[in-house]
Amino acid sequence: MAIEFEFTPEHQALRESIRGFLQKEVAPGVGAMDASEQFPAASVRRMQEEGYFGVPVPEAYGGLGLGKVGYCILLEELGRVDASHGSIVGAHTSLGTTPLLYFGTEAQKERWLRPAAKGEKLLAFSLTEPGSGSDSGSLNTRAERSGDRFLLNGTKLYVTNGKEADTVVVLALTDPTLGPNGGVSAFLLDKGTPGFSVGRCEKKMGLHGTSTAELILEGVELGPEHLLGELGKGFSIAMTALDVGRVSLGAASLGALEAAAEGALRFAQERTQFGRPIVEYEAIQFKLADMAMHAQALRYLVYNAAARQDRMGIEPAKWSRVERAAKTREAAVVKCLASEWASAGIDEALQIHGGIGYIRGTPIERAYRDARIAQIFEGTNEIQRLVIARDLIARGF
Ligand SMILES: Cc1cc2nc3c(=O)[nH]c(=O)nc-3n(C[C@H](O)[C@H](O)[C@H](O)COP(=O)(O)OP(=O)(O)OC[C@H]3O[C@@H](n4cnc5c(N)ncnc54)[C@H](O)[C@@H]3O)c2cc1C
């Protein structure tokens, strides 16, 4: 097991450039975005122009070619500034570009991956349905085969970027007699395809800059070029993308924890009560120490997992069973711990702020609302614990 890790000069340069970009182009508008609950179209466009929507995609397909480590750097930095921007990039990159990169044909990569990596097109990923959440193999959306064409009918739920996306990776049932392994396939569905419409967009506790949309499929006809990967392999394609998503979500949670901890430290040094800065009280110091411990542990976990995914490469057919199992378990560990430690640390950071931490519009109040979802989406933390437990029963600790 590799536990040593060094960032390359390219990765360090990426972190510096993203940090500067986000402070200049994103941070100033985050408060207004949160209050207005509008998709941040202008800053997303600027991020697309800078190549930030294709960080892990190889240069041969229009990306920056900086791997999962580079991608986690991006997500960590986004997590420090704004979770909505992080989710928009994550839904597009982890869940949209990964299935194309790993499972697409060369023609599909040219048509859909290249413009997505270059920031010309936005992607989304749609697995969840009203009756199918954690039990993601129990889909009802049908893709009936007729010759080499498919007819899609059904309703999908909670799709991040669903309102704005140019193309959605949609999971649908191609053979209801088979279970998730064999009966589910992945499709590339373009905006404007007859029979495809965006339904209700949810009002949410946080992530106010993202759309969380219902997608309605009524007699959507797709040709064979829209089938992504092999027929019946959709569930495994989705799970492979989620392994990437869970590690990058861990990076975003790490960034949110770091920003909250730094803000709480600054506040505690400035705020005086009983004649002293509150940072001098041990009760406050212990909260800060817990945040620092968790952030340090997460840095190792996140980047070790990202480096493993980089080493494994982008050809799933070459992965051994053991490699796959280790990657999946590691992604579950990262996602679960990062989301829980971030929520707990942000809660304590808010506590350090006292009353002002509860006032609408402060960064810590927004961070508190934004952080909670990381324990729910990309597989709830109960499901992550099931994934970990199943693997340790099968393969040991
Ligand atoms: C803001 C937001 C954005 C999202 N973005 C996307 C997206 O882009 N694409 C997409 O496809 N989906 C997306 N989702 C959906 C998200 O992934 C699901 O909400 C999540 O997987 C949980 O499914 P559910 O809501 O149906 O909850 P349920 O599955 O109904 O779970 C309810 C509770 O039961 C628990 N539970 C369920 N089964 C078990 C079990 N076997 N053992 C123990 N506990 C169990 C769960 O952990 C949870 O606590 C998004 C959701 C939100 C809120």
Side-chain angles (χ1 to χ4, degrees):
M1 184 181 137
I3 54 167
E4 286 297 323
F5 181 79
E6 293 274 352
F7 291 113
T8 64
E10 289 76 22
H11 287 139
Q12 277 157 354
L14 175 72
R15 189 185 289 283
E16 276 167 36
S17 76
I18 292 165
R19 196 170 276 194
F21 174 90
L22 293 177
Q23 282 313 314
K24 186 162 164 263
E25 308 260 359
V26 173
V30 169
M33 176 211 72
D34 181 59
S36 68
E37 304 194 24
Q38 295 295 314
F39 181 81
S43 49
V44 164
R45 180 93 288 278
R46 283 288 300 118
M47 288 185 66
Q48 288 173 319
E49 286 164 3
E50 294 293 320
Y52 294 145
F53 278 70
V55 169
V57 177
E59 288 170 282
Y61 296 114
L64 295 187
L66 292 168
K68 306 297 186 298
V69 170
Y71 178 48
C72 282
I73 290 171
L74 171 70
L75 265 288
E76 183 188 348
E77 292 300 320
L78 280 165
R80 293 174 72 95
V81 174
D82 178 47
S84 287
H85 283 77
S87 281
I88 294 164
V89 172
H92 167 93
T93 312
S94 310
L95 305 180
T97 66
T98 304
L100 274 161
L101 179 63
Y102 287 18
F103 300 98
T105 62
E106 284 305 313
Q108 287 173 330
K109 287 177 187 170
E110 279 307 314
R111 178 165 168 192
W112 282 287
L113 178 60
R114 184 179 296 282
K118 288 171 77 179
E120 294 160 2
K121 300 280 183 189
L122 186 67
L123 303 178
F125 169 87
S126 179
L127 176 62
T128 305
E129 296 182 359
S132 169
S134 299
D135 185 8
S136 54
S138 65
L139 300 182
N140 278 314
T141 294
R142 281 298 310 273
E144 280 177 84
R145 234 177 141 179
S146 163
D148 65 352
R149 302 187 73 76
F150 298 89
L151 195 65
L152 275 68
N153 282 290
T155 302
K156 308 296 281 188
L157 203 62
Y158 297 157
V159 183
T160 303
N161 296 344
K163 188 172 164 207
E164 301 82 14
D166 298 285
T167 303
V168 186
V169 175
V170 175
L171 282 299
L173 204 54
T174 37
D175 189 342
T177 65
L178 300 174
N181 298 314
V184 172
S185 302
F187 295 91
L188 295 157
L189 176 55
D190 294 326
K191 184 190 244 174
T193 306
F196 171 33
S197 58
V198 176
R200 190 179 74 245
C201 287
E202 306 293 345
K203 285 280 206 186
K204 306 186 292 296
M205 173 195 281
L207 291 191
H208 284 173
T210 67
S211 65
T212 305
E214 177 187 48
L215 303 183
I216 299 161
L217 313 180
E218 290 171 317
V220 176
E221 199 184 329
L222 296 178
E225 68 279 15
H226 291 263
L227 175 68
L228 179 57
E230 285 175 48
L231 187 73
K233 291 285 168 66
F235 192 68
S236 140
I237 292 171
M239 294 305 122
T240 304
L242 283 166
D243 281 351
V244 175
R246 288 168 185 169
V247 174
S248 65
L249 185 53
S253 295
L254 164 62
L257 173 59
E258 289 168 331
E262 287 167 11
L265 173 61
R266 275 195 304 276
F267 182 86
Q269 287 167 328
E270 286 161 12
R271 176 69 175 168
T272 297
Q273 286 295 282
F274 301 100
R276 292 183 190 180
I278 60 170
V279 77
E280 292 184 18
Y281 299 117
E282 214 173 54
I284 302 292
Q285 291 175 7
F286 282 10
K287 293 183 197 304
L288 293 166
D290 283 349
M291 291 175 217
M293 282 194 286
H294 289 160
Q296 185 164 338
L298 287 177
R299 276 180 218 121
Y300 294 123
L301 284 170
V302 165
Y303 288 103
N304 198 54
R308 177 203 293 274
Q309 294 193 351
D310 280 340
R311 280 195 306 277
M312 285 177 67
I314 58 171
E315 292 178 78
K318 293 188 176 163
W319 299 340
S320 70
R321 278 175 72 93
V322 171
E323 278 179 320
R324 278 170 202 269
K327 170 175 72 75
T328 295
R329 174 160 156 189
E330 189 169 49
V333 168
V334 168
K335 190 271 188 189
C336 207
L337 275 179
S339 59
E340 290 176 10
W341 282 348
S343 275
I346 290 166
D347 186 38
E348 290 291 42
L350 191 152
Q351 188 71 16
I352 288 173
H353 281 77
I356 198 163
Y358 195 70
I359 303 302
R360 184 53 76 95
T362 56
I364 192 64
E365 180 264 346
R366 189 180 67 249
Y368 183 84
R369 285 185 283 111
D370 282 346
R372 187 63 179 81
I373 186 62
Q375 294 179 57
I376 298 170
F377 64 8
E378 303 213 15
T380 66
N381 283 10
E382 287 76 14
I383 296 302
Q384 305 313 309
R385 286 185 165 85
L386 282 182
V387 168
I388 296 161
R390 278 184 196 137
D391 185 63
L392 69 87
I393 291 164
R395 294 194 311 130
F397 274 88

